[in-house]
Amino acid sequence: MALANYSKSSTILTPTLTSPSLLPSPPHLGDLRHWRWRGWNIPYTYVPSPEPQATPLILIHGFGASLGHWRHNLVPLSQQHPVYALDLLGFGDSTKAATAYGVPLWVEQVFDFWRLVVRRPAVWVGHSIGSLVVVLTAARYPEATQGYVTITLPDPALRRALLPSFLRPLVGAVEHLFTSPLFLTPLLWLIRPPERLRTWAGIAYEDSEFVDEELLNLFSRPAYDPGAAGALSRLARAASAVDFCPPMSEVLQEVSVPGLLLWSKGDRMVPPKLARPEQFGQHQPKLKLEELDYGGHCVHDEAAPQINAIILNWVASQFPQRS
């Protein structure tokens, strides 16, 4: 498959073709490649399927992760569907760009990837912030979306609504302080060794045994990239900004395709009791909610066989002729 770069003119992005990049490619991560988007490096992977005409799946990772976080999903899902996954700009092995981050930027990135590489309607699968990207992509680009699966769906607007108005200026000032490069740079140097990330990673998992060396290296390695501290500061400030992502209550009303929302009751990072996932169905009648009695925030990694089966069964039930 040909790869593509983007060269920028004043308003037009023109694709140019290059040869595949040579990256180490563990079998469970598929065929790792590079793509140049707006001058930035974006790694992605492709896992072919015995059913090449089946609906493609595109996997979008969460905050702080990368395409490698789908390590236990890529190959099993490819048994029935071609599978793609890519690093969102600023994460994983992508360029740590000095730019304004936010869900709308990542939506532009993944849509350009779909338009240039995938080129046929897909089922988008997102985890955490990747779920925000998936839902907004489904709303803005229906031509790219046959359906979508979200594994937790954090809503920044809900977090702001739950905070009393008199506290918002104080919280904003504290967030600005703790997302400053002066604070984050030494903190990043302190916590980026893999073993020092174990405690934090353990919060995202119900069973700490799943926090293995491969996972810790996956989260640690990007922190050593040039520009990592600056990118982390921009990402952290963007995540607390009002315009980081439109409210999900508004976005879901614009989505016309079926969706599946998976949420673990053991999620400690985005607890369902606070996120109130059942309310998402009020805004999107085609969205099915399935609450899980196992796993934590990263249930797709911790309980991969169960999640893979749920995704494959749902896609087959929704799109039997195309799957």
Side-chain angles (χ1 to χ4, degrees), residues 163-208:
L163 190 67
S165 58
F166 68 91
L167 282 179
R168 291 173 191 171
L170 175 61
V171 171
V174 172
E175 287 180 339
H176 191 270
L177 172 65
F178 283 96
T179 56
S180 164
L182 293 176
F183 175 80
L184 283 180
T185 299
L187 178 64
L188 183 67
W189 291 343
L190 178 66
I191 67 172
R192 64 185 179 182
E195 279 305 315
R196 293 183 182 175
L197 292 173
R198 184 176 294 276
T199 300
W200 173 86
I203 298 173
Y205 287 74
E206 185 178 54
D207 187 345
S208 60

mmCIF file of all heavy atoms in Angstrom, residues 163-208:
data_model
loop_
_atom_site.group_PDB
_atom_site.id
_atom_site.type_symbol
_atom_site.label_atom_id
_atom_site.label_comp_id
_atom_site.label_asym_id
_atom_site.label_seq_id
_atom_site.Cartn_x
_atom_site.Cartn_y
_atom_site.Cartn_z
ATOM 1 N N LEU A 163 -18.633 21.553 38.196
ATOM 2 C CA LEU A 163 -17.821 22.435 39.035
ATOM 3 C C LEU A 163 -18.604 23.712 39.342
ATOM 4 O O LEU A 163 -19.067 24.391 38.420
ATOM 5 C CB LEU A 163 -16.517 22.784 38.312
ATOM 6 C CG LEU A 163 -15.435 23.494 39.113
ATOM 7 C CD1 LEU A 163 -14.894 22.570 40.198
ATOM 8 C CD2 LEU A 163 -14.315 23.945 38.189
ATOM 9 N N PRO A 164 -18.792 24.062 40.602
ATOM 10 C CA PRO A 164 -19.508 25.299 40.941
ATOM 11 C C PRO A 164 -18.858 26.517 40.273
ATOM 12 O O PRO A 164 -17.625 26.604 40.178
ATOM 13 C CB PRO A 164 -19.388 25.371 42.463
ATOM 14 C CG PRO A 164 -19.162 23.955 42.899
ATOM 15 C CD PRO A 164 -18.372 23.311 41.794
ATOM 16 N N SER A 165 -19.679 27.442 39.834
ATOM 17 C CA SER A 165 -19.172 28.587 39.070
ATOM 18 C C SER A 165 -18.165 29.420 39.860
ATOM 19 O O SER A 165 -17.203 29.936 39.283
ATOM 20 C CB SER A 165 -20.344 29.472 38.627
ATOM 21 O OG SER A 165 -21.094 29.912 39.751
ATOM 22 N N PHE A 166 -18.353 29.525 41.187
ATOM 23 C CA PHE A 166 -17.437 30.363 41.962
ATOM 24 C C PHE A 166 -16.049 29.731 42.089
ATOM 25 O O PHE A 166 -15.075 30.415 42.421
ATOM 26 C CB PHE A 166 -18.022 30.645 43.358
ATOM 27 C CG PHE A 166 -18.095 29.451 44.263
ATOM 28 C CD1 PHE A 166 -17.038 29.132 45.114
ATOM 29 C CD2 PHE A 166 -19.214 28.635 44.273
ATOM 30 C CE1 PHE A 166 -17.102 28.034 45.954
ATOM 31 C CE2 PHE A 166 -19.283 27.527 45.111
ATOM 32 C CZ PHE A 166 -18.230 27.222 45.949
ATOM 33 N N LEU A 167 -15.952 28.406 41.835
ATOM 34 C CA LEU A 167 -14.661 27.737 41.930
ATOM 35 C C LEU A 167 -13.905 27.712 40.603
ATOM 36 O O LEU A 167 -12.703 27.426 40.586
ATOM 37 C CB LEU A 167 -14.846 26.294 42.412
ATOM 38 C CG LEU A 167 -15.099 26.086 43.902
ATOM 39 C CD1 LEU A 167 -15.289 24.606 44.200
ATOM 40 C CD2 LEU A 167 -13.954 26.655 44.735
ATOM 41 N N ARG A 168 -14.589 27.988 39.509
ATOM 42 C CA ARG A 168 -13.962 27.824 38.197
ATOM 43 C C ARG A 168 -12.732 28.714 38.001
ATOM 44 O O ARG A 168 -11.721 28.260 37.481
ATOM 45 C CB ARG A 168 -14.995 28.070 37.098
ATOM 46 C CG ARG A 168 -16.043 26.965 37.048
ATOM 47 C CD ARG A 168 -17.162 27.269 36.073
ATOM 48 N NE ARG A 168 -18.259 26.316 36.257
ATOM 49 C CZ ARG A 168 -19.438 26.421 35.670
ATOM 50 N NH1 ARG A 168 -19.685 27.440 34.858
ATOM 51 N NH2 ARG A 168 -20.380 25.518 35.891
ATOM 52 N N PRO A 169 -12.768 30.008 38.395
ATOM 53 C CA PRO A 169 -11.543 30.817 38.246
ATOM 54 C C PRO A 169 -10.361 30.265 39.041
ATOM 55 O O PRO A 169 -9.227 30.249 38.555
ATOM 56 C CB PRO A 169 -11.966 32.196 38.761
ATOM 57 C CG PRO A 169 -13.448 32.230 38.609
ATOM 58 C CD PRO A 169 -13.897 30.822 38.877
ATOM 59 N N LEU A 170 -10.634 29.787 40.263
ATOM 60 C CA LEU A 170 -9.554 29.240 41.089
ATOM 61 C C LEU A 170 -9.000 27.971 40.464
ATOM 62 O O LEU A 170 -7.777 27.794 40.370
ATOM 63 C CB LEU A 170 -10.075 28.950 42.495
ATOM 64 C CG LEU A 170 -9.087 28.254 43.448
ATOM 65 C CD1 LEU A 170 -7.850 29.117 43.654
ATOM 66 C CD2 LEU A 170 -9.771 27.937 44.774
ATOM 67 N N VAL A 171 -9.892 27.080 40.046
ATOM 68 C CA VAL A 171 -9.439 25.842 39.419
ATOM 69 C C VAL A 171 -8.668 26.135 38.144
ATOM 70 O O VAL A 171 -7.642 25.516 37.855
ATOM 71 C CB VAL A 171 -10.641 24.917 39.132
ATOM 72 C CG1 VAL A 171 -10.215 23.725 38.288
ATOM 73 C CG2 VAL A 171 -11.272 24.450 40.436
ATOM 74 N N GLY A 172 -9.140 27.121 37.380
ATOM 75 C CA GLY A 172 -8.432 27.500 36.158
ATOM 76 C C GLY A 172 -7.024 27.998 36.438
ATOM 77 O O GLY A 172 -6.077 27.662 35.722
ATOM 78 N N ALA A 173 -6.868 28.796 37.482
ATOM 79 C CA ALA A 173 -5.541 29.306 37.848
ATOM 80 C C ALA A 173 -4.620 28.174 38.296
ATOM 81 O O ALA A 173 -3.434 28.135 37.932
ATOM 82 C CB ALA A 173 -5.681 30.351 38.954
ATOM 83 N N VAL A 174 -5.157 27.231 39.079
ATOM 84 C CA VAL A 174 -4.352 26.099 39.528
ATOM 85 C C VAL A 174 -3.935 25.232 38.340
ATOM 86 O O VAL A 174 -2.777 24.792 38.235
ATOM 87 C CB VAL A 174 -5.135 25.267 40.562
ATOM 88 C CG1 VAL A 174 -4.386 23.977 40.897
ATOM 89 C CG2 VAL A 174 -5.364 26.086 41.825
ATOM 90 N N GLU A 175 -4.883 24.972 37.424
ATOM 91 C CA GLU A 175 -4.559 24.171 36.244
ATOM 92 C C GLU A 175 -3.493 24.855 35.401
ATOM 93 O O GLU A 175 -2.584 24.206 34.878
ATOM 94 C CB GLU A 175 -5.820 23.943 35.411
ATOM 95 C CG GLU A 175 -6.799 22.956 36.030
ATOM 96 C CD GLU A 175 -8.024 22.755 35.175
ATOM 97 O OE1 GLU A 175 -8.315 23.637 34.327
ATOM 98 O OE2 GLU A 175 -8.710 21.721 35.332
ATOM 99 N N HIS A 176 -3.587 26.174 35.268
ATOM 100 C CA HIS A 176 -2.592 26.901 34.477
ATOM 101 C C HIS A 176 -1.213 26.790 35.114
ATOM 102 O O HIS A 176 -0.199 26.640 34.410
ATOM 103 C CB HIS A 176 -3.009 28.368 34.358
ATOM 104 C CG HIS A 176 -2.201 29.130 33.346
ATOM 105 N ND1 HIS A 176 -1.023 29.788 33.667
ATOM 106 C CD2 HIS A 176 -2.387 29.327 32.023
ATOM 107 C CE1 HIS A 176 -0.536 30.367 32.581
ATOM 108 N NE2 HIS A 176 -1.341 30.094 31.567
ATOM 109 N N LEU A 177 -1.166 26.836 36.438
ATOM 110 C CA LEU A 177 0.110 26.718 37.135
ATOM 111 C C LEU A 177 0.718 25.339 36.926
ATOM 112 O O LEU A 177 1.901 25.208 36.590
ATOM 113 C CB LEU A 177 -0.097 26.988 38.625
ATOM 114 C CG LEU A 177 1.109 26.720 39.532
ATOM 115 C CD1 LEU A 177 2.254 27.672 39.195
ATOM 116 C CD2 LEU A 177 0.710 26.869 41.003
ATOM 117 N N PHE A 178 -0.082 24.298 37.118
ATOM 118 C CA PHE A 178 0.451 22.944 37.085
ATOM 119 C C PHE A 178 0.620 22.400 35.663
ATOM 120 O O PHE A 178 1.172 21.317 35.493
ATOM 121 C CB PHE A 178 -0.436 22.012 37.907
ATOM 122 C CG PHE A 178 -0.225 22.156 39.388
ATOM 123 C CD1 PHE A 178 -1.067 22.969 40.143
ATOM 124 C CD2 PHE A 178 0.828 21.525 40.023
ATOM 125 C CE1 PHE A 178 -0.869 23.113 41.508
ATOM 126 C CE2 PHE A 178 1.040 21.665 41.387
ATOM 127 C CZ PHE A 178 0.188 22.469 42.134
ATOM 128 N N THR A 179 0.162 23.148 34.673
ATOM 129 C CA THR A 179 0.421 22.752 33.287
ATOM 130 C C THR A 179 1.506 23.622 32.654
ATOM 131 O O THR A 179 1.753 23.526 31.456
ATOM 132 C CB THR A 179 -0.864 22.843 32.435
ATOM 133 O OG1 THR A 179 -1.402 24.168 32.521
ATOM 134 C CG2 THR A 179 -1.898 21.847 32.917
ATOM 135 N N SER A 180 2.164 24.425 33.461
ATOM 136 C CA SER A 180 3.255 25.247 32.969
ATOM 137 C C SER A 180 4.478 24.398 32.677
ATOM 138 O O SER A 180 4.770 23.436 33.398
ATOM 139 C CB SER A 180 3.617 26.308 34.021
ATOM 140 O OG SER A 180 4.872 26.883 33.745
ATOM 141 N N PRO A 181 5.237 24.733 31.612
ATOM 142 C CA PRO A 181 6.484 23.991 31.344
ATOM 143 C C PRO A 181 7.465 24.034 32.515
ATOM 144 O O PRO A 181 8.226 23.089 32.717
ATOM 145 C CB PRO A 181 7.050 24.706 30.105
ATOM 146 C CG PRO A 181 5.876 25.349 29.453
ATOM 147 C CD PRO A 181 4.950 25.735 30.577
ATOM 148 N N LEU A 182 7.436 25.121 33.293
ATOM 149 C CA LEU A 182 8.335 25.223 34.443
ATOM 150 C C LEU A 182 8.050 24.145 35.476
ATOM 151 O O LEU A 182 8.947 23.692 36.190
ATOM 152 C CB LEU A 182 8.200 26.612 35.084
ATOM 153 C CG LEU A 182 8.680 27.789 34.235
ATOM 154 C CD1 LEU A 182 8.409 29.101 34.952
ATOM 155 C CD2 LEU A 182 10.159 27.636 33.918
ATOM 156 N N PHE A 183 6.794 23.716 35.549
ATOM 157 C CA PHE A 183 6.424 22.660 36.478
ATOM 158 C C PHE A 183 6.516 21.282 35.828
ATOM 159 O O PHE A 183 7.035 20.328 36.415
ATOM 160 C CB PHE A 183 5.005 22.892 36.996
ATOM 161 C CG PHE A 183 4.488 21.777 37.868
ATOM 162 C CD1 PHE A 183 4.848 21.697 39.199
ATOM 163 C CD2 PHE A 183 3.641 20.809 37.345
ATOM 164 C CE1 PHE A 183 4.376 20.662 40.005
ATOM 165 C CE2 PHE A 183 3.163 19.781 38.139
ATOM 166 C CZ PHE A 183 3.534 19.704 39.476
ATOM 167 N N LEU A 184 6.025 21.184 34.585
ATOM 168 C CA LEU A 184 5.919 19.883 33.940
ATOM 169 C C LEU A 184 7.257 19.319 33.465
ATOM 170 O O LEU A 184 7.441 18.110 33.435
ATOM 171 C CB LEU A 184 4.945 19.957 32.762
ATOM 172 C CG LEU A 184 3.461 19.978 33.123
ATOM 173 C CD1 LEU A 184 2.600 20.045 31.866
ATOM 174 C CD2 LEU A 184 3.087 18.752 33.944
ATOM 175 N N THR A 185 8.189 20.200 33.093
ATOM 176 C CA THR A 185 9.468 19.697 32.585
ATOM 177 C C THR A 185 10.226 18.884 33.632
ATOM 178 O O THR A 185 10.594 17.731 33.379
ATOM 179 C CB THR A 185 10.336 20.850 32.060
ATOM 180 O OG1 THR A 185 9.652 21.505 30.984
ATOM 181 C CG2 THR A 185 11.678 20.333 31.561
ATOM 182 N N PRO A 186 10.468 19.421 34.831
ATOM 183 C CA PRO A 186 11.151 18.580 35.840
ATOM 184 C C PRO A 186 10.296 17.387 36.270
ATOM 185 O O PRO A 186 10.836 16.320 36.589
ATOM 186 C CB PRO A 186 11.402 19.534 37.005
ATOM 187 C CG PRO A 186 10.463 20.671 36.796
ATOM 188 C CD PRO A 186 10.259 20.798 35.329
ATOM 189 N N LEU A 187 8.962 17.565 36.284
ATOM 190 C CA LEU A 187 8.101 16.444 36.651
ATOM 191 C C LEU A 187 8.221 15.314 35.632
ATOM 192 O O LEU A 187 8.301 14.134 36.001
ATOM 193 C CB LEU A 187 6.648 16.913 36.746
ATOM 194 C CG LEU A 187 5.625 15.819 37.076
ATOM 195 C CD1 LEU A 187 5.892 15.247 38.467
ATOM 196 C CD2 LEU A 187 4.198 16.372 36.975
ATOM 197 N N LEU A 188 8.271 15.677 34.343
ATOM 198 C CA LEU A 188 8.403 14.667 33.302
ATOM 199 C C LEU A 188 9.720 13.918 33.437
ATOM 200 O O LEU A 188 9.761 12.684 33.316
ATOM 201 C CB LEU A 188 8.304 15.324 31.925
ATOM 202 C CG LEU A 188 8.357 14.385 30.723
ATOM 203 C CD1 LEU A 188 7.122 13.504 30.689
ATOM 204 C CD2 LEU A 188 8.470 15.174 29.417
ATOM 205 N N TRP A 189 10.791 14.634 33.700
ATOM 206 C CA TRP A 189 12.091 13.992 33.880
ATOM 207 C C TRP A 189 12.057 13.036 35.076
ATOM 208 O O TRP A 189 12.708 11.988 35.074
ATOM 209 C CB TRP A 189 13.173 15.043 34.108
ATOM 210 C CG TRP A 189 13.472 15.866 32.890
ATOM 211 C CD1 TRP A 189 13.141 15.566 31.607
ATOM 212 C CD2 TRP A 189 14.146 17.115 32.851
ATOM 213 N NE1 TRP A 189 13.562 16.563 30.760
ATOM 214 C CE2 TRP A 189 14.193 17.532 31.495
ATOM 215 C CE3 TRP A 189 14.721 17.954 33.812
ATOM 216 C CZ2 TRP A 189 14.782 18.732 31.088
ATOM 217 C CZ3 TRP A 189 15.304 19.139 33.411
ATOM 218 C CH2 TRP A 189 15.349 19.525 32.062
ATOM 219 N N LEU A 190 11.285 13.413 36.097
ATOM 220 C CA LEU A 190 11.236 12.619 37.315
ATOM 221 C C LEU A 190 10.448 11.324 37.124
ATOM 222 O O LEU A 190 10.857 10.255 37.604
ATOM 223 C CB LEU A 190 10.610 13.442 38.448
ATOM 224 C CG LEU A 190 10.442 12.739 39.797
ATOM 225 C CD1 LEU A 190 11.803 12.425 40.411
ATOM 226 C CD2 LEU A 190 9.628 13.619 40.748
ATOM 227 N N ILE A 191 9.331 11.396 36.407
ATOM 228 C CA ILE A 191 8.423 10.240 36.358
ATOM 229 C C ILE A 191 8.554 9.396 35.096
ATOM 230 O O ILE A 191 7.952 8.322 35.015
ATOM 231 C CB ILE A 191 6.952 10.693 36.483
ATOM 232 C CG1 ILE A 191 6.527 11.500 35.239
ATOM 233 C CG2 ILE A 191 6.735 11.479 37.759
ATOM 234 C CD1 ILE A 191 5.044 11.809 35.187
ATOM 235 N N ARG A 192 9.349 9.836 34.103
ATOM 236 C CA ARG A 192 9.325 9.114 32.836
ATOM 237 C C ARG A 192 10.024 7.746 32.831
ATOM 238 O O ARG A 192 9.736 6.937 31.950
ATOM 239 C CB ARG A 192 9.907 9.984 31.726
ATOM 240 C CG ARG A 192 11.371 10.342 31.870
ATOM 241 C CD ARG A 192 11.798 11.301 30.779
ATOM 242 N NE ARG A 192 13.204 11.682 30.908
ATOM 243 C CZ ARG A 192 13.806 12.551 30.098
ATOM 244 N NH1 ARG A 192 13.135 13.099 29.098
ATOM 245 N NH2 ARG A 192 15.078 12.857 30.282
ATOM 246 N N PRO A 193 10.943 7.424 33.751
ATOM 247 C CA PRO A 193 11.447 6.041 33.773
ATOM 248 C C PRO A 193 10.293 5.060 33.927
ATOM 249 O O PRO A 193 9.362 5.307 34.704
ATOM 250 C CB PRO A 193 12.378 6.025 34.991
ATOM 251 C CG PRO A 193 12.828 7.439 35.138
ATOM 252 C CD PRO A 193 11.638 8.262 34.759
ATOM 253 N N PRO A 194 10.325 3.948 33.196
ATOM 254 C CA PRO A 194 9.176 3.034 33.179
ATOM 255 C C PRO A 194 8.661 2.623 34.554
ATOM 256 O O PRO A 194 7.458 2.660 34.798
ATOM 257 C CB PRO A 194 9.713 1.829 32.394
ATOM 258 C CG PRO A 194 10.760 2.399 31.498
ATOM 259 C CD PRO A 194 11.399 3.507 32.281
ATOM 260 N N GLU A 195 9.545 2.255 35.456
ATOM 261 C CA GLU A 195 9.080 1.751 36.750
ATOM 262 C C GLU A 195 8.374 2.829 37.573
ATOM 263 O O GLU A 195 7.528 2.523 38.408
ATOM 264 C CB GLU A 195 10.248 1.153 37.541
ATOM 265 C CG GLU A 195 10.594 -0.261 37.134
ATOM 266 C CD GLU A 195 9.396 -1.203 37.220
ATOM 267 O OE1 GLU A 195 8.655 -1.151 38.235
ATOM 268 O OE2 GLU A 195 9.186 -1.978 36.275
ATOM 269 N N ARG A 196 8.730 4.093 37.327
ATOM 270 C CA ARG A 196 8.078 5.165 38.073
ATOM 271 C C ARG A 196 6.663 5.438 37.548
ATOM 272 O O ARG A 196 5.894 6.159 38.205
ATOM 273 C CB ARG A 196 8.929 6.436 38.015
ATOM 274 C CG ARG A 196 10.252 6.284 38.751
ATOM 275 C CD ARG A 196 11.051 7.547 38.758
ATOM 276 N NE ARG A 196 12.340 7.366 39.431
ATOM 277 C CZ ARG A 196 13.289 8.304 39.501
ATOM 278 N NH1 ARG A 196 13.091 9.491 38.952
ATOM 279 N NH2 ARG A 196 14.428 8.039 40.123
ATOM 280 N N LEU A 197 6.350 4.909 36.397
ATOM 281 C CA LEU A 197 5.002 5.067 35.850
ATOM 282 C C LEU A 197 4.062 3.957 36.312
ATOM 283 O O LEU A 197 2.869 4.011 36.034
ATOM 284 C CB LEU A 197 5.052 5.064 34.316
ATOM 285 C CG LEU A 197 5.731 6.264 33.652
ATOM 286 C CD1 LEU A 197 5.860 6.024 32.158
ATOM 287 C CD2 LEU A 197 4.939 7.548 33.912
ATOM 288 N N ARG A 198 4.603 2.976 37.003
ATOM 289 C CA ARG A 198 3.800 1.804 37.353
ATOM 290 C C ARG A 198 2.593 2.169 38.225
ATOM 291 O O ARG A 198 1.481 1.692 38.000
ATOM 292 C CB ARG A 198 4.656 0.764 38.062
ATOM 293 C CG ARG A 198 3.918 -0.522 38.384
ATOM 294 C CD ARG A 198 4.830 -1.558 39.003
ATOM 295 N NE ARG A 198 5.859 -2.010 38.063
ATOM 296 C CZ ARG A 198 5.652 -2.977 37.154
ATOM 297 N NH1 ARG A 198 4.462 -3.561 37.066
ATOM 298 N NH2 ARG A 198 6.632 -3.352 36.364
ATOM 299 N N THR A 199 2.804 3.025 39.214
ATOM 300 C CA THR A 199 1.703 3.385 40.110
ATOM 301 C C THR A 199 0.592 4.095 39.354
ATOM 302 O O THR A 199 -0.592 3.787 39.518
ATOM 303 C CB THR A 199 2.203 4.273 41.255
ATOM 304 O OG1 THR A 199 3.209 3.558 41.996
ATOM 305 C CG2 THR A 199 1.072 4.647 42.190
ATOM 306 N N TRP A 200 0.990 5.075 38.515
ATOM 307 C CA TRP A 200 -0.020 5.797 37.737
ATOM 308 C C TRP A 200 -0.758 4.862 36.797
ATOM 309 O O TRP A 200 -1.996 4.897 36.706
ATOM 310 C CB TRP A 200 0.642 6.913 36.918
ATOM 311 C CG TRP A 200 -0.327 7.567 35.992
ATOM 312 C CD1 TRP A 200 -1.174 8.597 36.278
ATOM 313 C CD2 TRP A 200 -0.570 7.224 34.617
ATOM 314 N NE1 TRP A 200 -1.937 8.903 35.171
ATOM 315 C CE2 TRP A 200 -1.585 8.079 34.152
ATOM 316 C CE3 TRP A 200 -0.028 6.267 33.762
ATOM 317 C CZ2 TRP A 200 -2.066 8.012 32.845
ATOM 318 C CZ3 TRP A 200 -0.509 6.192 32.453
ATOM 319 C CH2 TRP A 200 -1.507 7.064 32.016
ATOM 320 N N ALA A 201 -0.015 4.004 36.096
ATOM 321 C CA ALA A 201 -0.655 3.083 35.162
ATOM 322 C C ALA A 201 -1.588 2.132 35.888
ATOM 323 O O ALA A 201 -2.634 1.742 35.354
ATOM 324 C CB ALA A 201 0.402 2.300 34.387
ATOM 325 N N GLY A 202 -1.226 1.770 37.122
ATOM 326 C CA GLY A 202 -2.057 0.854 37.879
ATOM 327 C C GLY A 202 -3.437 1.405 38.171
ATOM 328 O O GLY A 202 -4.386 0.630 38.363
ATOM 329 N N ILE A 203 -3.584 2.731 38.222
ATOM 330 C CA ILE A 203 -4.894 3.327 38.463
ATOM 331 C C ILE A 203 -5.842 3.021 37.310
ATOM 332 O O ILE A 203 -7.054 2.910 37.498
ATOM 333 C CB ILE A 203 -4.757 4.848 38.666
ATOM 334 C CG1 ILE A 203 -3.892 5.139 39.895
ATOM 335 C CG2 ILE A 203 -6.123 5.508 38.827
ATOM 336 C CD1 ILE A 203 -3.571 6.608 40.068
ATOM 337 N N ALA A 204 -5.280 2.881 36.110
ATOM 338 C CA ALA A 204 -6.103 2.657 34.920
ATOM 339 C C ALA A 204 -6.500 1.204 34.741
ATOM 340 O O ALA A 204 -7.274 0.884 33.835
ATOM 341 C CB ALA A 204 -5.359 3.145 33.683
ATOM 342 N N TYR A 205 -5.967 0.320 35.591
ATOM 343 C CA TYR A 205 -6.240 -1.109 35.477
ATOM 344 C C TYR A 205 -6.839 -1.624 36.773
ATOM 345 O O TYR A 205 -6.407 -1.246 37.872
ATOM 346 C CB TYR A 205 -4.955 -1.877 35.152
ATOM 347 C CG TYR A 205 -4.480 -1.695 33.726
ATOM 348 C CD1 TYR A 205 -3.887 -0.503 33.322
ATOM 349 C CD2 TYR A 205 -4.644 -2.711 32.794
ATOM 350 C CE1 TYR A 205 -3.470 -0.323 32.011
ATOM 351 C CE2 TYR A 205 -4.220 -2.546 31.478
ATOM 352 C CZ TYR A 205 -3.637 -1.350 31.095
ATOM 353 O OH TYR A 205 -3.230 -1.173 29.787
ATOM 354 N N GLU A 206 -7.817 -2.502 36.662
ATOM 355 C CA GLU A 206 -8.394 -3.120 37.842
ATOM 356 C C GLU A 206 -7.433 -4.124 38.453
ATOM 357 O O GLU A 206 -7.328 -4.241 39.673
ATOM 358 C CB GLU A 206 -9.712 -3.811 37.460
ATOM 359 C CG GLU A 206 -10.476 -4.383 38.640
ATOM 360 C CD GLU A 206 -11.797 -5.000 38.210
ATOM 361 O OE1 GLU A 206 -11.775 -5.869 37.308
ATOM 362 O OE2 GLU A 206 -12.836 -4.607 38.764
ATOM 363 N N ASP A 207 -6.699 -4.830 37.601
ATOM 364 C CA ASP A 207 -5.739 -5.837 38.034
ATOM 365 C C ASP A 207 -4.337 -5.368 37.657
ATOM 366 O O ASP A 207 -4.002 -5.270 36.472
ATOM 367 C CB ASP A 207 -6.042 -7.179 37.389
ATOM 368 C CG ASP A 207 -5.182 -8.312 37.931
ATOM 369 O OD1 ASP A 207 -4.170 -8.024 38.594
ATOM 370 O OD2 ASP A 207 -5.518 -9.485 37.681
ATOM 371 N N SER A 208 -3.505 -5.067 38.646
ATOM 372 C CA SER A 208 -2.173 -4.509 38.389
ATOM 373 C C SER A 208 -1.257 -5.483 37.665
ATOM 374 O O SER A 208 -0.218 -5.086 37.142
ATOM 375 C CB SER A 208 -1.524 -4.075 39.705
ATOM 376 O OG SER A 208 -1.385 -5.190 40.588
#
